[in-house]
Amino acid sequence: MKLSGLLARQEEVRPGVTGTARVPRRSGELPQRLGPGDIVLLDQVDLDRRTADALVAAGVVAVVNAAPSISGRFPNLGPEVLSAAGVTLIDRVGRDPMRMIKDGARLRLHEGRVYSGDRELASGTDQDADSIADQLIEAKTGMTAQLEAFSADTIEFLRTERMLILDGVGVPAVTVPIEGRHVLVLVPGYGHADDLKRLKRYIKHYRPVLIGVDAGADTLLRAGYHPDVIVGDPSGIATDTLKRATEVVVPAHLDGHAPGIERIQDLGIGALTFPASGNPEDLALLIADAHNARLVVTVGFQATLHEFLDRGRSGSNPSTFLTRLRLGSRLVDGAAVASLQRAAGSNGALAMLLVAALVVLGVALAVSGFGASFLAVLVDFARSAFGRLGEWFA
């Protein structure tokens, strides 16, 4: 029997969850290679839903977190997502033991412990649905302190980025024509792919400028759309997507360093840099605002207070809050647009039935000799009605 087969049989006998370790290159990021059966090592306080969604979509079997996945500051959503998907979560393992584990190593998790073969490498807290629920209840009491800290962070952010937020100074001049047009900004948030499908009629009718943020650009391409602008770290975006975009904007740190710019240069793709401390989705909104977009529809963005706090990126909340204030009434959630379309579609169907019934009645009256003039009025009415229906269903 081959050695690999023997090891596989031994893993089946041992209790717990087994898989291949995936270690991120930098703290706070996801590993670049993720797939079914992987065990992901993280160091992220307050695991957010976006990260959890990405892990579930990749098919990972377990997550080992060096930090507490729920710190108690606020009821973050990530651990609940992992639990609902049946993904094992071990918390508070610590950074030192995690440094011993190499990417690609075979691991086994059992009762809060991390093993390589029979050797214990690390131990932490094994989280389940009950423990997560209890911690989230306690975390709700921390929201007041979190909001107070957010207020202070917002004032500090405005001091450093006031020229950008108030006057748009520093926003790159993209070549894609945006002024007076609708803009759709897609980020890889919860349910973003499904929300994009629901906006098919809206996109067909208004032909908005399509801005994909990070992996949201890949979603646009998979849905059959051509990304007009991509905003994000190119290292996490497919090569084909980058090549098809009209414009690529790479967020840069205030010191000028732009993560992923080397990949763009290797591919021979021209790109603009956007030095700012905000997150990529906020920078995408600022690009639409600075170029005088008529309306900005967001897909995959946070919509509730819990989601707003549950962002997983330190310091990003003030940017998000002030950016949305900047756009004001021009900013519309994609789910709301889809709901209005469905309502319009229902009204349109009723109108079609009404018009059809009136036309039948008019024809009957005309044939009987009493409704020729009424039929002429109906013809005019039908032309107007079907014109409006054309707009509804375009």
Side-chain angles (χ1 to χ4, degrees):
M1 180 180 293
K2 293 182 178 180
L3 179 60
S4 59
L6 180 61
L7 292 175
R9 288 194 60 185
Q10 289 178 341
E11 285 184 350
E12 290 176 2
V13 174
R14 295 178 179 134
V17 176
T18 59
T20 303
R22 293 300 175 202
V23 183
R25 292 180 180 178
R26 292 183 291 270
S27 179
E29 296 182 356
L30 285 177
Q32 289 189 323
R33 294 182 301 163
L34 283 178
D38 286 343
I39 295 176
V40 178
L41 277 62
L42 296 177
D43 185 5
Q44 183 176 330
V45 178
D46 293 324
L47 186 64
D48 62 290
R49 184 165 72 173
R50 177 179 297 181
T51 300
D53 283 335
L55 294 171
V56 171
V60 306
V61 295
V63 174
V64 179
N65 196 351
S69 296
I70 304 175
S71 70
R73 296 183 303 161
F74 63 96
N76 55 301
L77 308 173
E80 209 168 32
V81 171
L82 295 181
S83 176
V87 178
T88 299
L89 175 60
I90 297 180
D91 256 5
R92 302 173 185 269
V93 172
R95 293 179 179 177
D96 290 338
M98 298 273 276
R99 294 192 182 100
M100 301 167 51
I101 304 173
K102 303 299 182 182
D103 188 82
R106 291 294 294 178
L107 300 179
R108 179 172 63 91
L109 313 182
H110 181 56
E111 295 182 344
R113 289 176 169 82
V114 182
Y115 296 92
S116 175
D118 291 322
R119 183 165 66 98
E120 182 178 325
L121 303 178
S123 64
T125 304
D126 197 357
Q127 301 284 11
D128 57 23
D130 292 335
S131 65
I132 291 171
D134 291 342
Q135 290 177 76
L136 290 178
I137 291 172
E138 294 178 4
K140 288 181 179 179
T141 61
M143 288 189 68
T144 300
Q146 184 71 3
L147 287 171
E148 290 175 354
F150 163 71
S151 300
D153 290 342
T154 301
I155 294 172
E156 182 59 31
F157 179 84
L158 193 54
R159 285 175 181 163
T160 59
E161 295 279 21
R162 62 183 180 276
M163 297 297 289
L164 171 64
I165 295 296
L166 298 179
D167 302 314
V169 175
V171 177
V174 298
T175 58
V176 176
I178 294 177
E179 185 170 359
R181 298 178 61 187
H182 287 216
V183 174
L184 186 147
V185 181
L186 178 73
V187 305
Y190 178 75
H192 72 290
D194 292 334
D195 287 342
L196 181 63
K197 290 178 183 178
R198 298 186 187 101
L199 291 169
K200 184 177 180 179
R201 282 193 296 149
Y202 163 77
I203 295 172
K204 181 180 178 181
H205 183 73
Y206 288 98
R207 300 188 180 279
V209 176
L210 300 176
I211 301 181
V213 177
D214 290 330
D218 294 325
T219 303
L220 282 172
L221 192 61
R222 285 194 297 268
Y225 300 114
H226 177 96
D228 295 301
V229 182
I230 293 176
V231 181
D233 184 348
S235 61
I237 303 170
T239 300
D240 191 37
T241 305
L242 291 168
K243 289 183 175 180
R244 288 179 180 240
T246 305
E247 196 94 66
V248 177
V249 179
V250 181
H253 301 312
L254 293 177
D255 62 6
H257 174 64
I261 195 67
E262 296 84 3
R263 180 163 184 249
I264 285 288
Q265 293 169 346
D266 292 341
L267 293 172
I269 299 173
L272 300 170
T273 57
F274 192 164
S277 57
N279 56 61
E281 54 262 42
D282 297 337
L283 303 188
L285 294 180
L286 289 172
I287 290 172
D289 172 69
H291 291 80
N292 300 314
R294 180 182 176 188
L295 189 76
V296 181
V297 176
T298 59
V299 181
F301 283 63
Q302 291 77 16
T304 67
L305 178 61
H306 285 182
E307 290 174 318
F308 181 72
L309 293 174
D310 178 42
R311 299 185 59 82
R313 302 183 189 183
S314 177
S316 63
N317 287 337
S319 166
T320 299
F321 175 68
L322 293 171
T323 299
R324 280 151 182 72
L325 283 180
R326 171 79 188 181
L327 273 81
S329 60
R330 288 182 296 153
L331 194 66
V332 182
D333 183 69
V337 174
S339 297
L340 290 172
Q341 280 191 312
R342 287 195 298 271
S346 300
N347 292 336
L350 290 174
M352 288 183 69
L353 290 174
L354 176 60
V355 169
L358 289 174
V359 168
V360 170
L361 175 61
V363 170
L365 290 172
V367 170
S368 65
F370 294 102
S373 60
F374 179 58
L375 179 59
V377 172
L378 276 179
V379 169
D380 289 338
F381 172 72
R383 286 175 180 168
S384 175
F386 280 108
R388 294 294 299 171
L389 290 176
E391 294 179 7
W392 280 332
F393 289 98

